[in-house]
Amino acid sequence: MTASLESLESRFADIKALQAAIAMMEWDQQTYMPRGGSPARASHLGSLSRIAHEMFVSEEIGALLGRAKSEVDPESEEGALVRVAQREYDLATKVPAELVSRKVQLAAEGHEVWMAARANNDFERFRPYLEQMFEIARQEATYLGYRDHIYDALFDQYEEGAKAADATRLFETLKAPLVELVRQIAESQNDPDDSFLTGEWPESKQREFTEFLVKEIGFDMNRGRQDVAPHPFCTGWSVGDIRLTTRFKPYLASSIFASLHEAGHGMYEQGSPAAWDLKFPMLVGGVSLGVHESQSRLWENIVGRSRPFWKRHLPELARRFPEFSEVPLDTFYRAVNKVQPSLIRVEADEVTYNLHILVRFELECDLLTGDLKAKDLPAAWNAKYKEYLGIEPETDSDGCLQDVHWSSGLIGYFPTYSMGNLLSYQIWNALRKDLGDTDALIERGEFRPILSWLQDNIYRHGKRYQPQDLIERATGRPMEANDYLTGIRAKYTELYGL
Amino acid sequence: MTASLESLESRFADIKALQAAIAMMEWDQQTYMPRGGSPARASHLGSLSRIAHEMFVSEEIGALLGRAKSEVDPESEEGALVRVAQREYDLATKVPAELVSRKVQLAAEGHEVWMAARANNDFERFRPYLEQMFEIARQEATYLGYRDHIYDALFDQYEEGAKAADATRLFETLKAPLVELVRQIAESQNDPDDSFLTGEWPESKQREFTEFLVKEIGFDMNRGRQDVAPHPFCTGWSVGDIRLTTRFKPYLASSIFASLHEAGHGMYEQGSPAAWDLKFPMLVGGVSLGVHESQSRLWENIVGRSRPFWKRHLPELARRFPEFSEVPLDTFYRAVNKVQPSLIRVEADEVTYNLHILVRFELECDLLTGDLKAKDLPAAWNAKYKEYLGIEPETDSDGCLQDVHWSSGLIGYFPTYSMGNLLSYQIWNALRKDLGDTDALIERGEFRPILSWLQDNIYRHGKRYQPQDLIERATGRPMEANDYLTGIRAKYTELYGL
């Protein structure tokens, strides 16, 4: 190893330690922190982010990267490290440390206010934080630079090379067929009954069953755990320590599919080579949000909402919740795939999901450009729900206050969910070509070959290849909408007898 | 505020953020971390400690402290800040950063190995870590400097100004009266029956009852919480976020008194002025380990093991654990105060407790000087238990592997427990002089006046005064052994009908 690479690695180890601390404080904030911890937490997060940022954007690291670039084989792991670090360095050096620190501190405070605002349906309480966060985002975008649309600068942070115009085109491709499918479904008069999923389900039993399921599909509890948070998420600070969260509602499908979704993220994170944890922490984890989301959706929807999955697991569910002993497999399968325009994104079905994203994508574009003022957000939100989904929230808690993202400063993030939906089907088709009868595997509870294929083709590469490269390597072609549209059309035509 | 003070405060805020991250990672390591998180955690802790250490020991902070000293009123809060920071600075600059980092990393790894070694009664597995830790302690002591005994250098870190010779004198004062009292108790033939405390107590009910108790006495759950750890401890990262831990055993008194003990620590930590959290984080918390321990012992033993405490709470216990409905108050009171030479320090009664400490104090002195080799520790431990307590452990898990301290590098720490025992009675007597009939208060569940007295006289001062100053302010005199000896002699003479 060259001297510059060695220097970089020891500096990255320190930065990784700071990032681990930040991630843990954020995890704790959403799982276990008592209310009184909030002011100091915001200050600690502000300090740690600033320290990490200053360490990373030092001229010395810039110089070391410049030297290392000419010394490494670009095809090697070291070469990937230098490339990824250089991109991060470029992104980070453009934004002043002071702005980064202000954003993190605002996010910590804003998160608390958002929680209270959502609990009390009090948008006005949250509004000043939302305004400040979008103002910071505008400044960020200016520092990062963009050619076509202010949104591009932010979007690229989460999905390398992605642009607002691409997302717009993507949604234009999806919109008509989705609206048509939703229309057919609505007219089918063949609505699944999911009333038996509503009830008072004891939290401890939900916890046990969801832990059972995520272990079944391959999430390694020796290298992770599941806790409870108001908005489920997955985080982690090493390949050996990945944390899932879920939540408990009086609708049993909520915790089950939240857990399977987060476990999909979690298995991707657990799949990076263990040796990279200390050696190349910058290469560990998912390559982009879109690819990450493809894995959560794959395990949640394609595996978790399949008929063979419940042929296997309905008896176990009924053993733990005797209320389900009399529910036929087909009734259960149809219930967890019910298509229904609803208000809450995280509980949306896979047909309407992308319409929820479209609402958010358009609104955050308008908030960024100033075409929409924060004070007008609730009305604009409700109007778009009416237009795309035919329904309107009665409270802002069920409307524009439902998502954690904007309170945390995640602007330019939402479209990656839709990219995940498309990629999940495209990757699944490639996997099926190699593995054959996946239904039979799932029905026998043999998730190992599925996980191994994903591990080999995606997870083990971490951030080594660029997103588009990885997709082409894994599926033989660039991202397309076709697999998704064909997949859900087939599934729901059969399910609804269209 | 002067410019040097302002500079110091912003630097201390960053260092506090790093210390908060370290404390949280250590807390997580003992409460929630999956096994696989261990190697990266050790590396992250090593990095963060080194960064914090380097920030603190910079020449710039040395110069700022020098300037600030001449600018502040030594009687003011700012004056206290400069004095405390200067002491910490002197302690820290004497030890090289590399040694500090090595110690933290060894502690993280050693803790895991210690847990496994204790679980499997495998001292040899832990021995290399113990040897390295004492070797590091010897080097630390050399860097810190001492006049009389190598132990003094380490002892002073936990208890400002304390010396091995003082501890030796303390134990000499205590030893004979304690042995005599233990002898009288053994000969009394009036042994309390505590068999009804043994049973299979559901963890969830123990969790609920101990949370009820710590809230009753005044631990604020809006600014803290209780979790579960193999060895109970109290930690925190701000006045508004203090974490207790407890543990569940088939002996119900174990979790109850562990929780009351840690809540005593926790209320002391919660008692620093909230404004100091962001302004003077270096003044927040307990002033020394001895004074800290006086509060955990006061709430655990003097309040928690008193007859009026259980006159108040036995009915509530019996409501939650119907097995206790038929247990008379006096039987319960005597059971939780049973004196019995036992093997496990954290479960020792308040009469024999100091003998457990004596064993450890003598052994760590000998390990430090080299008079004892690590390989001979189990035999030496067992011999001293035989000599002082008349019993001998059958396994090292119940012997020299029982404590977390040495695995974490806490050497020179144990005697502060005994200082806490003495101070708890001395402080309680001062409190009683002001409040009058404390038994009546406890019996009525009126813990507020007790907590307020402690808050006014001790907790709110944080680290503002030196330990001896604080004790003299609160009790009117320096630390003495008399209150403790008189107190336990009276209590156990009555309890055992001597």
Side-chain angles (χ1 to χ4, degrees):
Chain A
M1 192 181 300
T2 71
S4 21
L5 205 59
E6 213 163 309
S7 272
L8 279 175
E9 280 183 15
S10 81
R11 275 161 182 78
F12 290 164
D14 282 355
I15 293 165
K16 175 66 197 184
L18 288 159
Q19 289 167 340
I22 292 166
M24 189 178 295
M25 284 189 177
E26 287 172 341
W27 167 83
D28 180 77
Q29 191 170 31
Q30 299 196 39
T31 51
Y32 294 113
M33 189 182 80
R35 262 188 305 137
S38 184
R41 182 66 49 90
S43 150
H44 297 160
L45 281 168
S47 283
L48 295 178
S49 315
R50 188 174 33 70
I51 296 168
H53 184 81
E54 283 169 6
M55 272 191 188
F56 185 51
V57 301
S58 72
E59 281 174 25
E60 199 185 359
I61 285 195
L64 285 168
L65 278 172
R67 278 206 296 283
K69 211 172 315 180
S70 63
E71 294 166 358
V72 296
D73 169 8
E75 299 302 313
S76 67
E77 289 174 350
E78 285 81 2
L81 176 72
V82 172
R83 182 185 61 75
V84 168
Q86 185 68 58
R87 167 175 149 84
E88 295 293 327
Y89 186 78
D90 292 342
L91 285 175
T93 45
K94 291 178 180 166
V95 181
E98 183 278 325
L99 187 64
V100 173
S101 166
R102 200 142 55 84
K103 180 178 175 183
V104 173
Q105 194 143 347
L106 183 69
E109 288 164 18
H111 178 77
E112 293 303 302
V113 174
W114 166 73
M115 293 236 288
R118 190 176 67 155
N120 302 308
N121 186 36
D122 185 359
F123 176 75
E124 276 304 305
R125 185 156 165 210
F126 177 56
R127 182 166 63 86
Y129 291 86
L130 187 72
E131 281 165 352
Q132 287 176 63
M133 195 51 93
F134 271 89
E135 177 50 36
I136 285 178
R138 271 187 289 274
Q139 293 177 33
E140 246 185 324
T142 308
Y143 285 116
L144 290 170
Y146 54 90
R147 215 172 37 193
D148 305 323
H149 195 291
I150 186 170
Y151 195 83
D152 295 349
L154 304 170
F155 198 6
D156 172 79
Q157 296 177 297
Y158 307 112
E159 200 67 36
E160 196 176 348
K163 296 201 184 305
D166 297 333
T168 304
R169 262 195 301 280
L170 181 83
F171 286 116
E172 268 163 22
T173 314
L174 291 174
K175 205 165 154 185
L178 284 182
V179 167
E180 169 60 15
L181 183 57
V182 171
R183 194 193 56 75
Q184 286 183 25
I185 289 170
E187 287 176 2
S188 74
Q189 310 237 320
N190 192 9
D191 213 29
D193 170 22
D194 67 345
S195 59
F196 55 87
L197 289 167
T198 299
E200 288 305 319
W201 313 109
E203 295 199 354
S204 61
K205 287 172 75 181
Q206 289 194 66
R207 186 191 288 260
E208 283 161 23
F209 184 61
T210 54
E211 285 193 13
F212 162 78
L213 283 183
V214 303
K215 277 194 273 191
E216 274 289 295
I217 61 174
F219 181 78
D220 181 355
M221 282 286 182
N222 291 319
R223 300 188 296 127
R225 45 178 292 123
Q226 177 179 270
D227 297 279
V228 181
H231 185 98
F233 64 98
C234 169
T235 184
W237 23 87
S238 70
V239 176
D241 194 356
I242 301 300
R243 310 281 173 112
L244 313 179
T245 57
T246 191
R247 67 169 160 198
F248 304 125
K249 299 229 154 182
Y251 186 73
L252 189 56
S254 177
S255 62
I256 290 173
F257 293 103
S259 288
L260 290 172
H261 180 99
E262 300 308 334
H265 286 305
M267 291 188 289
Y268 190 1
E269 293 283 324
Q270 288 185 332
S272 288
W276 285 4
D277 233 356
L278 298 177
K279 196 162 168 48
F280 303 123
M282 278 207 146
L283 293 184
V284 161
V287 71
S288 75
L289 288 185
V291 179
H292 230 309
E293 191 69 6
S294 77
Q295 295 313 298
S296 57
R297 304 302 269 170
L298 184 152
W299 289 101
E300 175 196 358
N301 287 333
I302 303 182
V303 175
R305 292 187 206 264
S306 71
R307 192 183 267 114
F309 187 83
W310 288 105
K311 185 152 183 199
R312 169 110 194 142
H313 291 119
L314 187 56
E316 181 61 29
L317 178 72
R319 202 181 64 72
R320 294 162 184 259
F321 298 88
E323 296 90 335
F324 290 89
S325 317
E326 303 298 314
V327 177
L329 170 64
D330 211 58
T331 306
F332 189 88
Y333 167 64
R334 298 190 71 237
V336 299
N337 285 289
K338 184 172 179 163
V339 174
Q340 191 171 39
S342 75
L343 297 168
I344 307 296
R345 175 184 59 83
V346 295
E347 285 167 10
D349 56 80
E350 50 175 346
V351 179
T352 57
Y353 196 96
N354 293 312
L355 300 172
H356 289 263
I357 299 304
L358 178 56
V359 169
R360 288 154 177 79
F361 168 62
E362 292 179 345
L363 290 173
E364 61 184 7
C365 281
D366 291 349
L367 284 166
L368 270 179
T369 55
D371 289 347
L372 179 67
K373 300 287 168 227
K375 71 174 169 46
D376 300 322
L377 174 64
W381 180 285
N382 296 355
K384 284 200 191 283
Y385 263 77
K386 182 103 189 150
E387 186 185 343
Y388 300 147
L389 290 132
I391 51 173
E392 222 173 332
E394 286 181 16
T395 66
D396 293 333
S397 299
D398 285 343
C400 65
L401 284 174
Q402 71 183 263
D403 295 301
V404 72
H405 300 68
W406 292 339
S407 80
S408 307
L410 299 172
I411 297 164
Y413 181 117
F414 279 119
T416 65
Y417 289 118
S418 289
M419 298 172 73
N421 287 336
L422 306 200
L423 287 172
S424 68
Y425 276 88
Q426 183 169 334
I427 290 167
W428 185 252
N429 284 346
L431 175 153
R432 271 208 303 194
K433 228 163 112 184
D434 288 350
L435 296 188
D437 190 352
T438 47
D439 280 3
L441 291 175
I442 294 172
E443 195 177 316
R444 290 197 301 269
E446 291 175 18
F447 298 102
R448 174 81 48 168
I450 296 171
L451 180 54
S452 293
W453 190 96
L454 294 166
Q455 174 69 20
D456 279 355
N457 289 278
I458 299 176
Y459 302 173
R460 76 183 167 94
H461 297 309
K463 301 186 206 290
R464 180 159 179 186
Y465 306 110
Q466 286 173 297
Q468 283 85 340
D469 274 10
L470 182 70
I471 295 306
E472 291 217 31
R473 277 169 180 270
T475 72
R477 57 207 157 95
M479 180 168 74
E480 295 171 22
N482 203 42
D483 296 71
Y484 166 75
L485 281 173
T486 309
I488 63 161
R489 223 184 253 131
K491 176 174 177 180
Y492 291 92
T493 299
E494 191 263 355
L495 203 137
Y496 276 84
L498 303 179
Chain B
M1 189 181 301
T2 71
S4 22
L5 205 58
E6 213 164 306
S7 273
L8 278 175
E9 280 183 13
S10 81
R11 276 162 182 76
F12 290 165
D14 283 354
I15 292 165
K16 176 67 198 183
L18 287 160
Q19 288 167 340
I22 292 166
M24 190 179 295
M25 284 188 177
E26 287 172 341
W27 167 82
D28 180 77
Q29 190 170 33
Q30 299 196 38
T31 51
Y32 293 113
M33 188 182 80
R35 261 187 307 137
S38 184
R41 182 66 49 91
S43 151
H44 297 160
L45 281 168
S47 283
L48 295 177
S49 314
R50 188 174 33 71
I51 296 168
H53 184 82
E54 282 168 6
M55 272 192 188
F56 185 52
V57 302
S58 71
E59 281 175 24
E60 199 185 0
I61 285 195
L64 285 168
L65 278 171
R67 279 206 296 283
K69 211 172 317 182
S70 63
E71 295 166 359
V72 295
D73 170 7
E75 299 303 311
S76 67
E77 287 175 351
E78 284 83 0
L81 176 71
V82 173
R83 182 185 61 73
V84 167
Q86 185 69 57
R87 168 175 150 83
E88 295 293 327
Y89 186 78
D90 293 341
L91 285 175
T93 45
K94 291 179 182 165
V95 181
E98 183 277 326
L99 187 64
V100 173
S101 165
R102 200 142 55 83
K103 180 178 174 182
V104 173
Q105 194 143 348
L106 183 69
E109 288 165 17
H111 178 78
E112 293 302 301
V113 173
W114 166 74
M115 292 236 287
R118 190 175 67 157
N120 302 307
N121 186 37
D122 184 358
F123 175 76
E124 276 305 304
R125 186 158 164 208
F126 177 55
R127 182 166 63 88
Y129 292 86
L130 186 72
E131 281 166 352
Q132 286 175 62
M133 197 50 95
F134 270 89
E135 178 50 37
I136 285 178
R138 272 186 290 272
Q139 293 177 33
E140 246 185 323
T142 308
Y143 285 117
L144 291 170
Y146 54 88
R147 215 171 40 194
D148 305 324
H149 194 292
I150 185 170
Y151 196 82
D152 295 350
L154 304 172
F155 198 4
D156 173 79
Q157 296 177 295
Y158 306 111
E159 200 66 37
E160 196 176 346
K163 295 200 184 306
D166 298 333
T168 303
R169 262 195 302 281
L170 182 85
F171 285 117
E172 267 163 21
T173 315
L174 291 174
K175 204 166 154 185
L178 284 182
V179 167
E180 169 60 14
L181 183 58
V182 171
R183 194 193 56 76
Q184 286 181 27
I185 289 170
E187 285 176 1
S188 73
Q189 309 237 321
N190 193 8
D191 213 30
D193 171 21
D194 68 345
S195 58
F196 55 86
L197 290 167
T198 300
E200 288 305 318
W201 313 107
E203 295 199 353
S204 61
K205 288 172 76 181
Q206 290 194 64
R207 185 191 288 259
E208 283 161 25
F209 184 61
T210 53
E211 286 193 12
F212 162 79
L213 283 183
V214 303
K215 278 195 274 193
E216 274 289 296
I217 61 173
F219 181 78
D220 182 354
M221 281 287 181
N222 290 319
R223 300 188 295 126
R225 47 178 291 123
Q226 178 179 271
D227 297 279
V228 182
H231 185 99
F233 64 99
C234 169
T235 185
W237 23 87
S238 70
V239 176
D241 194 356
I242 301 300
R243 310 280 173 112
L244 314 179
T245 57
T246 191
R247 68 170 159 197
F248 304 125
K249 299 231 155 182
Y251 186 74
L252 189 55
S254 177
S255 62
I256 290 174
F257 292 104
S259 288
L260 290 171
H261 180 100
E262 301 308 332
H265 287 303
M267 291 188 288
Y268 190 1
E269 293 283 324
Q270 288 185 332
S272 288
W276 287 4
D277 233 356
L278 297 178
K279 198 164 165 48
F280 303 124
M282 276 206 147
L283 293 183
V284 161
V287 71
S288 74
L289 288 186
V291 179
H292 230 307
E293 191 69 7
S294 78
Q295 295 314 297
S296 57
R297 303 302 268 169
L298 185 151
W299 288 102
E300 176 196 357
N301 287 333
I302 303 182
V303 175
R305 291 186 206 265
S306 71
R307 191 183 269 111
F309 188 83
W310 289 106
K311 186 156 182 193
R312 169 113 193 138
H313 291 118
L314 187 55
E316 180 62 28
L317 178 70
R319 202 181 65 72
R320 294 162 185 259
F321 298 87
E323 296 89 335
F324 290 90
S325 317
E326 303 299 313
V327 177
L329 171 63
D330 211 58
T331 305
F332 189 88
Y333 167 63
R334 297 189 71 237
V336 299
N337 284 288
K338 184 173 179 163
V339 175
Q340 191 172 38
S342 75
L343 298 169
I344 307 297
R345 175 185 59 82
V346 294
E347 285 167 9
D349 56 81
E350 50 175 348
V351 179
T352 56
Y353 196 96
N354 293 313
L355 300 173
H356 289 264
I357 298 304
L358 178 57
V359 170
R360 287 154 177 79
F361 168 60
E362 292 180 344
L363 290 174
E364 62 185 6
C365 282
D366 291 348
L367 283 166
L368 270 179
T369 56
D371 289 348
L372 178 66
K373 300 287 168 227
K375 71 173 170 50
D376 300 322
L377 174 64
W381 180 286
N382 296 354
K384 284 201 192 283
Y385 263 77
K386 182 98 192 158
E387 187 185 341
Y388 300 146
L389 290 130
I391 51 174
E392 221 173 331
E394 285 180 18
T395 65
D396 293 332
S397 299
D398 284 344
C400 65
L401 284 174
Q402 72 183 261
D403 296 302
V404 72
H405 300 67
W406 293 338
S407 82
S408 308
L410 298 172
I411 296 165
Y413 181 118
F414 279 119
T416 65
Y417 288 118
S418 288
M419 297 173 73
N421 286 336
L422 306 199
L423 287 172
S424 68
Y425 275 90
Q426 183 169 335
I427 291 167
W428 186 252
N429 284 346
L431 175 154
R432 272 209 303 194
K433 229 164 115 183
D434 288 350
L435 296 188
D437 190 352
T438 47
D439 279 4
L441 290 174
I442 294 172
E443 195 177 317
R444 290 198 301 270
E446 292 176 17
F447 298 101
R448 173 85 45 173
I450 296 171
L451 181 54
S452 292
W453 190 95
L454 294 166
Q455 175 69 20
D456 280 356
N457 288 278
I458 298 176
Y459 301 173
R460 75 182 168 95
H461 298 309
K463 300 186 207 290
R464 179 160 178 184
Y465 306 111
Q466 286 174 295
Q468 283 86 341
D469 274 12
L470 181 71
I471 294 307
E472 290 217 31
R473 277 168 181 271
T475 72
R477 55 206 158 94
M479 179 168 76
E480 294 171 22
N482 203 42
D483 296 72
Y484 166 76
L485 280 173
T486 310
I488 62 161
R489 221 183 255 129
K491 176 174 177 180
Y492 291 93
T493 298
E494 190 263 354
L495 203 138
Y496 275 85
L498 301 178

